[in-house]
Amino acid sequence: MILRDFLSQRPMNVNAKVPPFQQVLIILLFSLGMGLAINGLREASLPLVGGWSSSPMKGDILAVSLEDAVVKLLSDDALFLDARSTADYQRGHIKGAVNLPVLDGSFGQRLQEFSGRVDHQRELIVYCDGTGCTLGPQLASILRGLGFGDVQILLNGWNEWVGAGMPFEVE
Amino acid sequence: MKGFIRSVALSYTNPHVSVVFRWVVGAIFIYASMDKLLNPSAFAVAVYNYRILPGGLINLVAITLPWLELICGILLIIGLFPRAGALTLSVLLLIFFSALSINIYRGIDISCGCFSVSTGTDRIGLSTLLRDLSILPMSVQILLFDQGLIAIGGRTVSRGANPT
């Protein structure tokens, strides 16, 4: 109707012609269509249904043992993610680990950049510090929600890693 | 006092005021959509943090909600389907108000995710709640009293009808 009015060069009074609830429907469908289309074209597109968990602390994410984690690091099978603050990360982190500090203000942008850069099928191992640390499970849960298929947790990660004398870096 | 209330009521029902409100509300929602459109993953986390939606709906909302805000904002400014746009945004504002209220009541300290997906700023609280509420009267005014002045889609009422 908009197109027809436009082509015939008549005054466009579509606001009065199209019934109100039809207008709302057009807006909703157009928004849905644009959202889905642009998401499909993005490099880091979100899966329509992510693996968001309602209880990230309840441990529905696989834990990896220290031995397996070391093997995966040495064979470059997995990418390590440090969920602690940037300051903690800079004081020392697992060799090659990427910092995604859950509580920092920059987390959103860093996550967006990470999501666009890393293959969603890549094996990821998340860690933080201490047995009661919740940042690792939180980050693992978020990554699964965004469509990363293979996310594991190294429990008590940093303490265990340093205690066992495994390779780490300082920035 | 009566005179003051009368003049406020008259201003509120004035269709020229609707035009100004359309521009203001439209600009607010276009601005609000930008960071979310650029960072959908981060916005999905903001939606997730509210702990209201079931997991299966979070990404779909993160993908479509910013577009809904952007499109309604543009429609209000150009004056195409302004009342439908205002109705959609009024419902959105009420949903945001409910989501904010629930989490303030729960005592959960999270980022609003309203204008920015940054996790460190704009924590939810009374100010975010009042900000949401301050937009609603403008949106409702457009819904009730806009007549399609300075609008690409023409008047919102048929010729010959007298809305006032």
Side-chain angles (χ1 to χ4, degrees), chain A residues 101-113:
Chain A
V102 175
L103 297 181
D104 280 16
S106 62
F107 177 65
Q109 272 75 19
R110 291 168 88 146
L111 187 67
Q112 186 68 44
E113 186 269 330

Side-chain angles (χ1 to χ4, degrees), chain A residues 53-61 132-139 141 153 155, chain B residues 48 51:
Chain A
S53 158
S54 56
S55 53
M57 309 305 163
K58 299 275 167 68
D60 61 344
I61 291 166
C133 173
T134 59
L135 299 176
Q138 272 184 51
L139 179 58
S141 180
I153 295 180
L155 293 171
Chain B
Y48 169 67
R51 304 291 161 98

Side-chain angles (χ1 to χ4, degrees), chain B residues 1-136:
Chain B
M1 187 64 188
K2 266 187 181 176
F4 175 73
I5 293 171
R6 188 179 148 77
S7 65
V8 169
L10 276 178
S11 304
Y12 191 73
T13 57
N14 188 328
H16 291 94
V17 172
S18 301
V19 178
V20 177
F21 282 175
R22 266 176 29 212
W23 294 342
V24 172
V25 176
I28 289 171
F29 274 91
I30 290 171
Y31 173 68
S33 69
M34 288 298 153
D35 207 28
K36 300 168 196 166
L37 285 170
L38 293 173
N39 302 293
S41 299
F43 182 51
V45 175
V47 176
Y48 169 67
N49 284 340
Y50 274 85
R51 304 291 161 98
I52 288 174
L53 283 175
L57 287 179
I58 288 171
N59 286 358
L60 194 62
V61 167
I63 290 166
T64 53
L65 182 61
W67 281 100
L68 191 59
E69 292 181 337
L70 177 71
I71 287 166
C72 286
I74 292 172
L75 291 182
L76 285 189
I77 287 177
I78 65 174
L80 184 63
F81 303 160
R83 285 182 160 180
L87 173 64
T88 309
L89 292 183
S90 299
V91 172
L92 278 186
L93 286 166
L94 289 174
I95 292 171
F96 297 160
F97 181 80
S98 309
L100 286 166
S101 303
I102 288 169
N103 278 297
I104 291 168
Y105 174 74
R106 285 172 174 168
I108 298 177
D109 180 29
I110 53 172
S111 286
C112 183
C114 306
F115 291 94
S116 160
V117 296
S118 172
T119 43
T121 55
D122 204 15
R123 317 301 291 186
I124 63 167
L126 194 61
S127 62
T128 49
L129 209 56
L130 290 176
R131 188 175 62 196
D132 182 274
L133 273 186
S134 67
I135 306 169
L136 192 60

Side-chain angles (χ1 to χ4, degrees), chain A residues 93-171:
Chain A
H93 55 266
I94 292 178
K95 198 174 173 207
V98 174
N99 187 209
L100 288 175
V102 175
L103 297 181
D104 280 16
S106 62
F107 177 65
Q109 272 75 19
R110 291 168 88 146
L111 187 67
Q112 186 68 44
E113 186 269 330
F114 178 82
S115 190
R117 178 168 60 84
V118 175
D119 179 6
H120 282 42
Q121 303 310 316
R122 183 97 157 92
E123 189 174 342
L124 304 175
I125 296 178
V126 174
Y127 70 91
C128 54
D129 189 12
T131 47
C133 173
T134 59
L135 299 176
Q138 272 184 51
L139 179 58
S141 180
I142 288 168
L143 290 166
R144 290 232 317 216
L146 297 179
F148 286 92
D150 192 352
V151 187
Q152 299 170 70
I153 295 180
L154 178 62
L155 293 171
N156 197 15
W158 179 240
N159 277 344
E160 288 239 359
W161 193 266
V162 174
M166 293 301 139
F168 66 94
E169 299 172 323
V170 176
E171 265 180 30

Side-chain angles (χ1 to χ4, degrees), chain A residues 51-101:
Chain A
W52 294 100
S53 158
S54 56
S55 53
M57 309 305 163
K58 299 275 167 68
D60 61 344
I61 291 166
L62 281 177
V64 62
S65 68
L66 181 66
E67 293 75 20
D68 285 350
V70 173
V71 171
K72 285 174 194 293
L73 178 82
L74 297 177
S75 58
D76 200 24
D77 276 350
L79 178 60
F80 283 69
L81 301 177
D82 191 323
R84 300 172 303 156
S85 69
T86 304
D88 284 342
Y89 174 85
Q90 286 172 342
R91 275 193 286 271
H93 55 266
I94 292 178
K95 198 174 173 207
V98 174
N99 187 209
L100 288 175

